[in-house]
Amino acid sequence: MKTNVEMNKKINDVFDSVESIQEVKVSPFFKEKVMHQIRTASEDIQDTSWSWFTPKLQLATLVCVVVLNVLAFNNLKESTYDENVSSFAESYGLSVSTESSLFN
């Protein structure tokens, strides 16, 4: 029973403290001011998200892509289709053996 009395006292203390809280007075335009600040902050973030991709960096990226494509195309021209197919067939065991065996 002693714990029940202590619990009731704690509950009453909480209710008393809640009743003593006063109403907060807020400016009527508080929400509009906050929403305006959020909008301007989000516009600033969107503007700076692509600012790092400057024209100099775009040109450097374009040059790198073109050079890589030229190198890949030249490498592709050097190797022949038949060599690629035969190496693929040998690596996966798909090639037909031309050696004669005793069982043929």
Side-chain angles (χ1 to χ4, degrees):
M1 289 304 226
K2 187 174 183 183
T3 58
N4 193 13
V5 172
E6 290 176 9
M7 186 61 74
N8 286 335
K9 183 177 183 306
K10 288 180 182 180
I11 291 172
N12 288 333
D13 289 341
V14 169
F15 284 137
D16 291 339
S17 66
V18 168
E19 290 174 357
S20 66
I21 295 175
Q22 297 177 358
E23 182 180 347
V24 177
K25 301 211 187 320
V26 180
S27 169
F29 299 107
F30 176 75
K31 180 181 176 185
E32 285 80 12
K33 289 178 186 176
V34 170
M35 294 303 290
H36 178 69
Q37 289 176 354
I38 290 173
R39 270 188 243 110
T40 57
S42 66
E43 289 172 359
D44 292 343
I45 290 172
Q46 289 174 354
D47 292 342
T48 59
S49 61
W50 287 100
S51 65
W52 62 271
F53 202 53
T54 61
K56 289 181 184 178
L57 187 59
Q58 291 174 4
L59 182 63
T61 305
L62 179 65
V63 168
C64 289
V65 168
V66 168
V67 167
L68 285 174
N69 282 333
V70 167
L71 290 174
F73 185 71
N74 285 338
N75 189 15
L76 184 64
K77 281 176 83 175
E78 290 175 2
S79 62
T80 62
Y81 178 77
D82 293 333
E83 291 174 2
N84 289 336
V85 170
S86 64
S87 67
F88 176 78
E90 288 175 9
S91 64
Y92 286 99
L94 301 174
S95 62
V96 177
S97 177
T98 56
E99 300 173 4
S100 61
S101 66
L102 297 173
F103 300 112
N104 281 343

